[in-house]
Amino acid sequence: MAGQPRSYKEDLVGVFGYPVAENPTCVMQQAAFDACGLRWRYLTIEVRPEQLADAMRGLRAFNMRGINLTIPHKVAVIPHLDRLSPEAQLIGAVNTVVAQEGELIGYNTDGKGFLRSVREDAGVDPRGKRVVFLGAGGAARAMAVEMALAGASHIVIVNRTAARGKELVHHLREKTGVAAEYLSWQDEYTVPPDVDILINATSIGLFPNVAEMPRVAMSSIRDDLLVCDVIPNPPRTAFLTAAERRGARTLDGLGMLVYQGAIAFQMWTGVEPPISVMRRALEEVFAS
Ligand code: NDP
């Protein structure tokens, strides 16, 4: 039967990682594309470190609209891009690539996702705040740079491995000018009374080790402190539950995961992201 010419072509995005099988981002992004009536497909693609260069050539060859990068590709991808956004340059890592007019542009939406969650979910403006990060890995780096750019007055990095903690402090001072210091994390960390925001940016408490908690003297958690956790699975970590028992306000890692994806969605499609659809999709994944 004669009719309108049909297009079966889909716009492709996805994630490169290794391992990547358990990454739930596809569920959140596909739910968003479908809710917006977009003929887009999010692919979860296993890329070994030694094949990243080929994978990036494939991205160009398939005319993909972009890609997310996860472990171990966030830094290694940089030489394969045409340019970096200013914040990706400051952070030194990329989690989202946008293909635009023949160029691959690297962004980092992790820290921005956290910032948006602090502002919108917790209702807190980081300007002038004293902030403590537990951990100095990739997530801490992205979040700390964005907190510094958002006007945090003082940042402390508490980390087990001194070299990593000191390097991040040096990086923050050098690149953002924020007042920052390193604190060794050997015993329980006691939160000083002038701290406004405490963030667990380690992997402690991530499924399946849900009973584990970062070593913090819970007696130093006050009811006027905002306690945040980067762990999205489970969103209600043992650490946040214990902090709530002390009367503190808490912010879980699900919001950060939703917003970092929502920012990528908007950059790729130009469409306003359906935040509640994305959040619900992830909540269902983590509840199952
Ligand atoms: P990295 O491996 O880069 O860093 C891990 C950090 O945790 C390091 O500082 C490490 O300390 C510290 N750490 C791990 N185990 C312990 C321990 N037993 N005691 C003390 N310190 C410990 O990981 P990422 O920064 O990439 O990721 C961290 C977490 O953030 C992950 O669980 C990830 O799922 C989550 N994440 C959440 C996001 C979200 O959107 N909600 C986005 C990105 C990440 P040391 O330097 O001493 O080894």
Side-chain angles (χ1 to χ4, degrees), residues 71 74 95 110 113-114 134-141 143 158-162 164-165 185 200-204 206 212 214-215 229-233 252-260:
I71 290 170
K74 288 185 180 185
N95 77 333
D110 280 334
F114 174 67
L134 306 171
R141 193 179 186 91
M143 295 156 84
V158 181
N159 201 50
R160 178 180 60 180
T161 305
R164 216 169 177 194
W185 194 11
N200 174 35
T202 73
S203 44
I204 302 168
L206 186 65
E212 287 182 10
R215 284 178 308 141
D229 206 321
V230 76
I231 302 291
N233 181 24
D252 68 43
L254 193 68
M256 173 178 173
L257 192 59
V258 170
Y259 286 124
Q260 63 79 28

mmCIF file of all heavy atoms in Angstrom, residues 71 74 95 110 113-114 134-141 143 158-162 164-165 185 200-204 206 212 214-215 229-233 252-260, ligand 1:
data_model
loop_
_atom_site.group_PDB
_atom_site.id
_atom_site.type_symbol
_atom_site.label_atom_id
_atom_site.label_comp_id
_atom_site.label_asym_id
_atom_site.label_seq_id
_atom_site.Cartn_x
_atom_site.Cartn_y
_atom_site.Cartn_z
ATOM 1 N N ILE A 71 33.680 4.006 34.060
ATOM 2 C CA ILE A 71 34.946 3.319 34.370
ATOM 3 C C ILE A 71 35.303 2.347 33.265
ATOM 4 O O ILE A 71 34.439 1.583 32.856
ATOM 5 C CB ILE A 71 34.798 2.563 35.719
ATOM 6 C CG1 ILE A 71 34.725 3.603 36.845
ATOM 7 C CG2 ILE A 71 35.929 1.592 35.966
ATOM 8 C CD1 ILE A 71 34.335 3.022 38.203
ATOM 9 N N LYS A 74 36.855 7.597 31.593
ATOM 10 C CA LYS A 74 36.536 9.025 31.740
ATOM 11 C C LYS A 74 37.715 9.956 31.457
ATOM 12 O O LYS A 74 37.524 11.077 30.995
ATOM 13 C CB LYS A 74 35.975 9.304 33.147
ATOM 14 C CG LYS A 74 34.557 8.769 33.346
ATOM 15 C CD LYS A 74 33.992 9.178 34.701
ATOM 16 C CE LYS A 74 32.583 8.633 34.876
ATOM 17 N NZ LYS A 74 31.948 9.092 36.119
ATOM 18 N N ASN A 95 32.375 12.635 31.246
ATOM 19 C CA ASN A 95 31.395 11.535 31.340
ATOM 20 C C ASN A 95 30.353 11.596 30.231
ATOM 21 O O ASN A 95 29.587 10.659 30.059
ATOM 22 C CB ASN A 95 30.714 11.497 32.723
ATOM 23 C CG ASN A 95 29.647 12.568 32.854
ATOM 24 O OD1 ASN A 95 29.716 13.608 32.211
ATOM 25 N ND2 ASN A 95 28.654 12.313 33.679
ATOM 26 N N ASP A 110 28.679 15.051 36.021
ATOM 27 C CA ASP A 110 28.570 14.456 37.362
ATOM 28 C C ASP A 110 28.459 15.540 38.447
ATOM 29 O O ASP A 110 27.552 15.519 39.281
ATOM 30 C CB ASP A 110 29.790 13.580 37.676
ATOM 31 C CG ASP A 110 29.689 12.202 37.028
ATOM 32 O OD1 ASP A 110 28.568 11.740 36.774
ATOM 33 O OD2 ASP A 110 30.756 11.603 36.784
ATOM 34 N N GLY A 113 25.352 17.611 38.133
ATOM 35 C CA GLY A 113 24.189 16.859 38.611
ATOM 36 C C GLY A 113 24.082 16.943 40.117
ATOM 37 O O GLY A 113 22.995 17.138 40.683
ATOM 38 N N PHE A 114 25.230 16.833 40.793
ATOM 39 C CA PHE A 114 25.244 16.925 42.257
ATOM 40 C C PHE A 114 24.810 18.321 42.703
ATOM 41 O O PHE A 114 23.969 18.486 43.599
ATOM 42 C CB PHE A 114 26.640 16.599 42.788
ATOM 43 C CG PHE A 114 26.776 16.809 44.268
ATOM 44 C CD1 PHE A 114 26.078 16.008 45.158
ATOM 45 C CD2 PHE A 114 27.588 17.815 44.769
ATOM 46 C CE1 PHE A 114 26.179 16.208 46.528
ATOM 47 C CE2 PHE A 114 27.687 18.025 46.130
ATOM 48 C CZ PHE A 114 26.984 17.224 47.013
ATOM 49 N N LEU A 134 34.411 13.220 51.965
ATOM 50 C CA LEU A 134 35.076 11.967 52.325
ATOM 51 C C LEU A 134 35.380 11.285 50.997
ATOM 52 O O LEU A 134 34.459 10.953 50.245
ATOM 53 C CB LEU A 134 34.147 11.096 53.171
ATOM 54 C CG LEU A 134 33.554 11.765 54.412
ATOM 55 C CD1 LEU A 134 32.485 10.875 55.043
ATOM 56 C CD2 LEU A 134 34.666 12.063 55.432
ATOM 57 N N GLY A 135 36.685 11.100 50.672
ATOM 58 C CA GLY A 135 37.055 10.500 49.388
ATOM 59 C C GLY A 135 37.645 11.523 48.448
ATOM 60 O O GLY A 135 37.372 12.733 48.571
ATOM 61 N N ALA A 136 38.491 11.023 47.535
ATOM 62 C CA ALA A 136 39.186 11.927 46.604
ATOM 63 C C ALA A 136 39.265 11.309 45.209
ATOM 64 O O ALA A 136 40.173 11.599 44.444
ATOM 65 C CB ALA A 136 40.592 12.212 47.130
ATOM 66 N N GLY A 137 38.304 10.441 44.876
ATOM 67 C CA GLY A 137 38.297 9.797 43.562
ATOM 68 C C GLY A 137 37.655 10.683 42.501
ATOM 69 O O GLY A 137 37.504 11.890 42.691
ATOM 70 N N GLY A 138 37.271 10.056 41.395
ATOM 71 C CA GLY A 138 36.714 10.796 40.254
ATOM 72 C C GLY A 138 35.447 11.548 40.618
ATOM 73 O O GLY A 138 35.263 12.703 40.193
ATOM 74 N N ALA A 139 34.570 10.922 41.402
ATOM 75 C CA ALA A 139 33.310 11.581 41.765
ATOM 76 C C ALA A 139 33.592 12.793 42.660
ATOM 77 O O ALA A 139 33.052 13.882 42.434
ATOM 78 C CB ALA A 139 32.387 10.596 42.480
ATOM 79 N N ALA A 140 34.461 12.618 43.670
ATOM 80 C CA ALA A 140 34.802 13.720 44.571
ATOM 81 C C ALA A 140 35.391 14.893 43.781
ATOM 82 O O ALA A 140 35.072 16.058 44.045
ATOM 83 C CB ALA A 140 35.808 13.248 45.626
ATOM 84 N N ARG A 141 36.235 14.579 42.817
ATOM 85 C CA ARG A 141 36.897 15.615 42.023
ATOM 86 C C ARG A 141 35.871 16.460 41.261
ATOM 87 O O ARG A 141 35.900 17.695 41.303
ATOM 88 C CB ARG A 141 37.855 14.922 41.049
ATOM 89 C CG ARG A 141 38.839 15.817 40.359
ATOM 90 C CD ARG A 141 39.708 14.926 39.468
ATOM 91 N NE ARG A 141 40.784 15.632 38.853
ATOM 92 C CZ ARG A 141 41.999 15.762 39.381
ATOM 93 N NH1 ARG A 141 42.279 15.253 40.547
ATOM 94 N NH2 ARG A 141 42.938 16.416 38.741
ATOM 95 N N MET A 143 32.636 16.757 41.836
ATOM 96 C CA MET A 143 31.732 17.458 42.758
ATOM 97 C C MET A 143 32.447 18.637 43.422
ATOM 98 O O MET A 143 31.872 19.721 43.575
ATOM 99 C CB MET A 143 31.243 16.486 43.839
ATOM 100 C CG MET A 143 30.390 15.354 43.286
ATOM 101 S SD MET A 143 30.424 13.920 44.367
ATOM 102 C CE MET A 143 29.192 14.332 45.541
ATOM 103 N N VAL A 158 38.987 14.702 52.912
ATOM 104 C CA VAL A 158 39.403 13.685 53.887
ATOM 105 C C VAL A 158 39.580 12.387 53.105
ATOM 106 O O VAL A 158 38.617 11.888 52.524
ATOM 107 C CB VAL A 158 38.305 13.501 54.970
ATOM 108 C CG1 VAL A 158 38.735 12.466 55.990
ATOM 109 C CG2 VAL A 158 37.988 14.829 55.643
ATOM 110 N N ASN A 159 40.815 11.886 53.047
ATOM 111 C CA ASN A 159 41.027 10.669 52.238
ATOM 112 C C ASN A 159 42.042 9.745 52.880
ATOM 113 O O ASN A 159 42.968 10.175 53.547
ATOM 114 C CB ASN A 159 41.487 11.039 50.820
ATOM 115 C CG ASN A 159 41.231 9.901 49.843
ATOM 116 O OD1 ASN A 159 40.131 9.371 49.793
ATOM 117 N ND2 ASN A 159 42.248 9.507 49.084
ATOM 118 N N ARG A 160 41.835 8.438 52.663
ATOM 119 C CA ARG A 160 42.701 7.389 53.225
ATOM 120 C C ARG A 160 44.095 7.467 52.605
ATOM 121 O O ARG A 160 45.103 7.453 53.295
ATOM 122 C CB ARG A 160 42.018 6.055 52.905
ATOM 123 C CG ARG A 160 42.732 4.824 53.335
ATOM 124 C CD ARG A 160 41.924 3.613 52.936
ATOM 125 N NE ARG A 160 41.714 3.513 51.484
ATOM 126 C CZ ARG A 160 41.051 2.550 50.889
ATOM 127 N NH1 ARG A 160 40.502 1.591 51.591
ATOM 128 N NH2 ARG A 160 40.915 2.537 49.569
ATOM 129 N N THR A 161 44.157 7.599 51.281
ATOM 130 C CA THR A 161 45.444 7.641 50.581
ATOM 131 C C THR A 161 45.887 9.097 50.443
ATOM 132 O O THR A 161 45.233 9.887 49.747
ATOM 133 C CB THR A 161 45.321 6.978 49.193
ATOM 134 O OG1 THR A 161 44.802 5.659 49.383
ATOM 135 C CG2 THR A 161 46.648 6.916 48.478
ATOM 136 N N ALA A 162 46.999 9.424 51.121
ATOM 137 C CA ALA A 162 47.414 10.831 51.200
ATOM 138 C C ALA A 162 47.701 11.434 49.828
ATOM 139 O O ALA A 162 47.273 12.552 49.530
ATOM 140 C CB ALA A 162 48.650 10.948 52.091
ATOM 141 N N ARG A 164 46.567 10.897 46.879
ATOM 142 C CA ARG A 164 45.367 11.231 46.109
ATOM 143 C C ARG A 164 44.643 12.443 46.689
ATOM 144 O O ARG A 164 44.195 13.337 45.962
ATOM 145 C CB ARG A 164 44.443 10.024 46.117
ATOM 146 C CG ARG A 164 43.696 9.816 44.838
ATOM 147 C CD ARG A 164 43.035 8.468 44.893
ATOM 148 N NE ARG A 164 42.231 8.234 43.725
ATOM 149 C CZ ARG A 164 41.353 7.262 43.636
ATOM 150 N NH1 ARG A 164 41.185 6.429 44.636
ATOM 151 N NH2 ARG A 164 40.653 7.099 42.547
ATOM 152 N N GLY A 165 44.556 12.475 48.032
ATOM 153 C CA GLY A 165 43.887 13.586 48.691
ATOM 154 C C GLY A 165 44.626 14.901 48.476
ATOM 155 O O GLY A 165 44.022 15.929 48.166
ATOM 156 N N TRP A 185 42.814 10.352 56.697
ATOM 157 C CA TRP A 185 41.663 9.614 57.236
ATOM 158 C C TRP A 185 42.133 8.251 57.707
ATOM 159 O O TRP A 185 42.087 7.281 56.958
ATOM 160 C CB TRP A 185 40.611 9.468 56.145
ATOM 161 C CG TRP A 185 39.254 9.039 56.614
ATOM 162 C CD1 TRP A 185 38.813 8.975 57.889
ATOM 163 C CD2 TRP A 185 38.155 8.640 55.789
ATOM 164 N NE1 TRP A 185 37.500 8.560 57.915
ATOM 165 C CE2 TRP A 185 37.075 8.352 56.645
ATOM 166 C CE3 TRP A 185 37.974 8.524 54.410
ATOM 167 C CZ2 TRP A 185 35.836 7.928 56.157
ATOM 168 C CZ3 TRP A 185 36.755 8.104 53.929
ATOM 169 C CH2 TRP A 185 35.699 7.817 54.796
ATOM 170 N N ASN A 200 29.690 12.004 51.599
ATOM 171 C CA ASN A 200 30.389 10.747 51.376
ATOM 172 C C ASN A 200 30.562 10.576 49.868
ATOM 173 O O ASN A 200 29.604 10.316 49.142
ATOM 174 C CB ASN A 200 29.606 9.548 51.922
ATOM 175 C CG ASN A 200 30.293 8.242 51.528
ATOM 176 O OD1 ASN A 200 31.521 8.174 51.471
ATOM 177 N ND2 ASN A 200 29.522 7.205 51.231
ATOM 178 N N ALA A 201 31.812 10.734 49.388
ATOM 179 C CA ALA A 201 32.105 10.573 47.959
ATOM 180 C C ALA A 201 32.974 9.331 47.740
ATOM 181 O O ALA A 201 33.689 9.233 46.751
ATOM 182 C CB ALA A 201 32.786 11.827 47.416
ATOM 183 N N THR A 202 32.909 8.391 48.688
ATOM 184 C CA THR A 202 33.607 7.111 48.515
ATOM 185 C C THR A 202 32.593 6.078 48.012
ATOM 186 O O THR A 202 31.396 6.361 47.920
ATOM 187 C CB THR A 202 34.178 6.591 49.853
ATOM 188 O OG1 THR A 202 33.094 6.120 50.669
ATOM 189 C CG2 THR A 202 34.941 7.660 50.599
ATOM 190 N N SER A 203 33.085 4.873 47.742
ATOM 191 C CA SER A 203 32.170 3.804 47.315
ATOM 192 C C SER A 203 31.672 2.982 48.500
ATOM 193 O O SER A 203 31.015 1.963 48.317
ATOM 194 C CB SER A 203 32.884 2.916 46.297
ATOM 195 O OG SER A 203 34.203 2.650 46.739
ATOM 196 N N ILE A 204 31.932 3.465 49.744
ATOM 197 C CA ILE A 204 31.526 2.711 50.940
ATOM 198 C C ILE A 204 30.000 2.764 51.092
ATOM 199 O O ILE A 204 29.414 3.847 51.139
ATOM 200 C CB ILE A 204 32.195 3.297 52.208
ATOM 201 C CG1 ILE A 204 33.714 3.261 52.059
ATOM 202 C CG2 ILE A 204 31.759 2.533 53.455
ATOM 203 C CD1 ILE A 204 34.452 4.063 53.120
ATOM 204 N N LEU A 206 27.988 0.989 48.902
ATOM 205 C CA LEU A 206 27.412 0.604 47.612
ATOM 206 C C LEU A 206 26.971 -0.861 47.659
ATOM 207 O O LEU A 206 27.656 -1.694 48.260
ATOM 208 C CB LEU A 206 28.484 0.803 46.519
ATOM 209 C CG LEU A 206 28.056 0.597 45.064
ATOM 210 C CD1 LEU A 206 27.038 1.645 44.637
ATOM 211 C CD2 LEU A 206 29.271 0.657 44.137
ATOM 212 N N GLU A 212 27.938 -1.277 55.233
ATOM 213 C CA GLU A 212 29.173 -0.515 55.489
ATOM 214 C C GLU A 212 28.913 0.982 55.559
ATOM 215 O O GLU A 212 28.069 1.508 54.834
ATOM 216 C CB GLU A 212 30.203 -0.807 54.384
ATOM 217 C CG GLU A 212 30.800 -2.191 54.512
ATOM 218 C CD GLU A 212 31.858 -2.464 53.451
ATOM 219 O OE1 GLU A 212 32.261 -1.521 52.740
ATOM 220 O OE2 GLU A 212 32.251 -3.624 53.353
ATOM 221 N N PRO A 214 31.081 4.941 56.082
ATOM 222 C CA PRO A 214 32.354 5.639 56.228
ATOM 223 C C PRO A 214 32.617 5.913 57.707
ATOM 224 O O PRO A 214 31.669 6.142 58.474
ATOM 225 C CB PRO A 214 32.154 6.939 55.441
ATOM 226 C CG PRO A 214 30.698 7.065 55.226
ATOM 227 C CD PRO A 214 30.087 5.709 55.339
ATOM 228 N N ARG A 215 33.877 5.874 58.102
ATOM 229 C CA ARG A 215 34.199 6.040 59.525
ATOM 230 C C ARG A 215 34.115 7.506 59.940
ATOM 231 O O ARG A 215 35.043 8.292 59.702
ATOM 232 C CB ARG A 215 35.566 5.432 59.819
ATOM 233 C CG ARG A 215 35.488 3.889 59.870
ATOM 234 C CD ARG A 215 36.816 3.265 60.098
ATOM 235 N NE ARG A 215 37.773 3.769 59.124
ATOM 236 C CZ ARG A 215 39.029 4.052 59.388
ATOM 237 N NH1 ARG A 215 39.500 3.908 60.596
ATOM 238 N NH2 ARG A 215 39.816 4.469 58.428
ATOM 239 N N ASP A 229 25.183 11.699 50.307
ATOM 240 C CA ASP A 229 25.855 10.456 49.927
ATOM 241 C C ASP A 229 25.836 10.348 48.408
ATOM 242 O O ASP A 229 24.820 10.631 47.775
ATOM 243 C CB ASP A 229 25.141 9.248 50.564
ATOM 244 C CG ASP A 229 26.086 8.077 50.744
ATOM 245 O OD1 ASP A 229 26.916 7.857 49.838
ATOM 246 O OD2 ASP A 229 26.003 7.399 51.775
ATOM 247 N N VAL A 230 26.979 9.934 47.842
ATOM 248 C CA VAL A 230 27.091 9.806 46.392
ATOM 249 C C VAL A 230 26.509 8.468 45.911
ATOM 250 O O VAL A 230 26.201 8.308 44.737
ATOM 251 C CB VAL A 230 28.582 9.957 45.995
ATOM 252 C CG1 VAL A 230 29.360 8.703 46.306
ATOM 253 C CG2 VAL A 230 28.761 10.367 44.573
ATOM 254 N N ILE A 231 26.319 7.538 46.849
ATOM 255 C CA ILE A 231 25.862 6.186 46.483
ATOM 256 C C ILE A 231 24.399 6.229 46.021
ATOM 257 O O ILE A 231 23.526 6.635 46.793
ATOM 258 C CB ILE A 231 25.959 5.237 47.722
ATOM 259 C CG1 ILE A 231 27.384 5.181 48.265
ATOM 260 C CG2 ILE A 231 25.395 3.855 47.405
ATOM 261 C CD1 ILE A 231 28.378 4.492 47.404
ATOM 262 N N PRO A 232 24.138 5.804 44.771
ATOM 263 C CA PRO A 232 22.744 5.808 44.327
ATOM 264 C C PRO A 232 22.019 4.493 44.600
ATOM 265 O O PRO A 232 20.799 4.441 44.545
ATOM 266 C CB PRO A 232 22.861 6.037 42.818
ATOM 267 C CG PRO A 232 24.190 5.458 42.440
ATOM 268 C CD PRO A 232 25.066 5.497 43.661
ATOM 269 N N ASN A 233 22.785 3.432 44.871
ATOM 270 C CA ASN A 233 22.186 2.107 45.031
ATOM 271 C C ASN A 233 22.759 1.388 46.247
ATOM 272 O O ASN A 233 23.901 0.926 46.179
ATOM 273 C CB ASN A 233 22.436 1.279 43.766
ATOM 274 C CG ASN A 233 21.809 -0.098 43.860
ATOM 275 O OD1 ASN A 233 20.870 -0.302 44.607
ATOM 276 N ND2 ASN A 233 22.340 -1.029 43.114
ATOM 277 N N ASP A 252 20.363 11.989 49.114
ATOM 278 C CA ASP A 252 20.914 10.732 48.593
ATOM 279 C C ASP A 252 21.503 10.898 47.193
ATOM 280 O O ASP A 252 21.341 11.937 46.555
ATOM 281 C CB ASP A 252 19.870 9.609 48.668
ATOM 282 C CG ASP A 252 18.711 9.813 47.712
ATOM 283 O OD1 ASP A 252 18.951 10.186 46.560
ATOM 284 O OD2 ASP A 252 17.556 9.592 48.134
ATOM 285 N N GLY A 253 22.195 9.845 46.713
ATOM 286 C CA GLY A 253 22.919 9.906 45.443
ATOM 287 C C GLY A 253 22.049 9.677 44.214
ATOM 288 O O GLY A 253 22.529 9.804 43.083
ATOM 289 N N LEU A 254 20.765 9.380 44.437
ATOM 290 C CA LEU A 254 19.878 9.142 43.293
ATOM 291 C C LEU A 254 19.628 10.438 42.514
ATOM 292 O O LEU A 254 19.618 10.444 41.278
ATOM 293 C CB LEU A 254 18.550 8.557 43.798
ATOM 294 C CG LEU A 254 17.647 7.971 42.723
ATOM 295 C CD1 LEU A 254 18.266 6.715 42.133
ATOM 296 C CD2 LEU A 254 16.276 7.641 43.303
ATOM 297 N N GLY A 255 19.450 11.531 43.259
ATOM 298 C CA GLY A 255 19.204 12.823 42.611
ATOM 299 C C GLY A 255 20.359 13.206 41.700
ATOM 300 O O GLY A 255 20.161 13.646 40.559
ATOM 301 N N MET A 256 21.585 13.008 42.182
ATOM 302 C CA MET A 256 22.780 13.327 41.384
ATOM 303 C C MET A 256 22.784 12.504 40.094
ATOM 304 O O MET A 256 23.048 13.021 39.010
ATOM 305 C CB MET A 256 24.025 13.021 42.216
ATOM 306 C CG MET A 256 25.327 13.140 41.471
ATOM 307 S SD MET A 256 26.693 12.810 42.620
ATOM 308 C CE MET A 256 28.074 12.782 41.495
ATOM 309 N N LEU A 257 22.456 11.213 40.229
ATOM 310 C CA LEU A 257 22.463 10.323 39.064
ATOM 311 C C LEU A 257 21.389 10.742 38.052
ATOM 312 O O LEU A 257 21.627 10.753 36.840
ATOM 313 C CB LEU A 257 22.232 8.879 39.527
ATOM 314 C CG LEU A 257 22.487 7.782 38.504
ATOM 315 C CD1 LEU A 257 23.915 7.815 37.992
ATOM 316 C CD2 LEU A 257 22.191 6.405 39.116
ATOM 317 N N VAL A 258 20.223 11.117 38.564
ATOM 318 C CA VAL A 258 19.138 11.560 37.678
ATOM 319 C C VAL A 258 19.539 12.856 36.972
ATOM 320 O O VAL A 258 19.427 12.968 35.746
ATOM 321 C CB VAL A 258 17.825 11.772 38.486
ATOM 322 C CG1 VAL A 258 16.770 12.460 37.631
ATOM 323 C CG2 VAL A 258 17.311 10.440 39.016
ATOM 324 N N TYR A 259 20.041 13.833 37.739
ATOM 325 C CA TYR A 259 20.327 15.135 37.134
ATOM 326 C C TYR A 259 21.514 15.073 36.165
ATOM 327 O O TYR A 259 21.505 15.742 35.139
ATOM 328 C CB TYR A 259 20.579 16.196 38.208
ATOM 329 C CG TYR A 259 19.321 16.644 38.916
ATOM 330 C CD1 TYR A 259 19.208 16.562 40.297
ATOM 331 C CD2 TYR A 259 18.240 17.146 38.208
ATOM 332 C CE1 TYR A 259 18.054 16.968 40.953
ATOM 333 C CE2 TYR A 259 17.085 17.557 38.850
ATOM 334 C CZ TYR A 259 16.995 17.460 40.228
ATOM 335 O OH TYR A 259 15.849 17.861 40.867
ATOM 336 N N GLN A 260 22.561 14.250 36.497
ATOM 337 C CA GLN A 260 23.671 14.194 35.537
ATOM 338 C C GLN A 260 23.175 13.617 34.210
ATOM 339 O O GLN A 260 23.602 14.030 33.136
ATOM 340 C CB GLN A 260 24.903 13.458 36.089
ATOM 341 C CG GLN A 260 24.744 11.983 36.438
ATOM 342 C CD GLN A 260 24.783 11.056 35.227
ATOM 343 O OE1 GLN A 260 25.405 11.378 34.234
ATOM 344 N NE2 GLN A 260 24.109 9.929 35.322
HETATM 345 P P1 NDP B 1 37.123 6.074 42.719
HETATM 346 O O1 NDP B 1 37.561 4.642 42.703
HETATM 347 O O2 NDP B 1 37.734 7.034 41.765
HETATM 348 O O3 NDP B 1 37.356 6.669 44.214
HETATM 349 C C1 NDP B 1 36.946 5.975 45.351
HETATM 350 C C2 NDP B 1 37.230 6.805 46.609
HETATM 351 O O4 NDP B 1 36.684 6.108 47.721
HETATM 352 C C3 NDP B 1 38.705 6.997 46.898
HETATM 353 O O5 NDP B 1 38.913 8.254 47.486
HETATM 354 C C4 NDP B 1 38.996 5.874 47.916
HETATM 355 O O6 NDP B 1 40.061 6.178 48.781
HETATM 356 C C5 NDP B 1 37.716 5.888 48.697
HETATM 357 N N1 NDP B 1 37.474 4.600 49.358
HETATM 358 C C6 NDP B 1 36.995 3.457 48.794
HETATM 359 N N2 NDP B 1 36.897 2.490 49.735
HETATM 360 C C7 NDP B 1 37.320 3.031 50.907
HETATM 361 C C8 NDP B 1 37.462 2.535 52.242
HETATM 362 N N3 NDP B 1 37.119 1.283 52.549
HETATM 363 N N4 NDP B 1 37.911 3.372 53.200
HETATM 364 C C9 NDP B 1 38.250 4.649 52.905
HETATM 365 N N5 NDP B 1 38.150 5.175 51.648
HETATM 366 C C10 NDP B 1 37.692 4.370 50.667
HETATM 367 O O7 NDP B 1 35.549 6.027 42.567
HETATM 368 P P2 NDP B 1 34.583 7.208 42.057
HETATM 369 O O8 NDP B 1 34.995 8.472 42.694
HETATM 370 O O9 NDP B 1 34.467 7.148 40.594
HETATM 371 O O10 NDP B 1 33.178 6.718 42.642
HETATM 372 C C11 NDP B 1 32.896 6.739 44.028
HETATM 373 C C12 NDP B 1 31.451 6.359 44.245
HETATM 374 O O11 NDP B 1 30.623 7.363 43.678
HETATM 375 C C13 NDP B 1 31.038 5.043 43.570
HETATM 376 O O12 NDP B 1 30.377 4.259 44.516
HETATM 377 C C14 NDP B 1 30.086 5.462 42.480
HETATM 378 O O13 NDP B 1 29.035 4.541 42.334
HETATM 379 C C15 NDP B 1 29.542 6.765 43.005
HETATM 380 N N6 NDP B 1 29.126 7.680 41.935
HETATM 381 C C16 NDP B 1 27.844 8.148 41.983
HETATM 382 C C17 NDP B 1 27.399 9.008 41.026
HETATM 383 C C18 NDP B 1 26.000 9.492 41.102
HETATM 384 O O14 NDP B 1 25.547 10.091 40.114
HETATM 385 N N7 NDP B 1 25.303 9.318 42.200
HETATM 386 C C19 NDP B 1 28.253 9.463 39.910
HETATM 387 C C20 NDP B 1 29.604 8.946 39.973
HETATM 388 C C21 NDP B 1 29.996 8.073 40.957
HETATM 389 P P3 NDP B 1 41.601 5.905 48.389
HETATM 390 O O15 NDP B 1 42.038 7.058 47.523
HETATM 391 O O16 NDP B 1 42.300 5.854 49.686
HETATM 392 O O17 NDP B 1 41.622 4.587 47.649
#
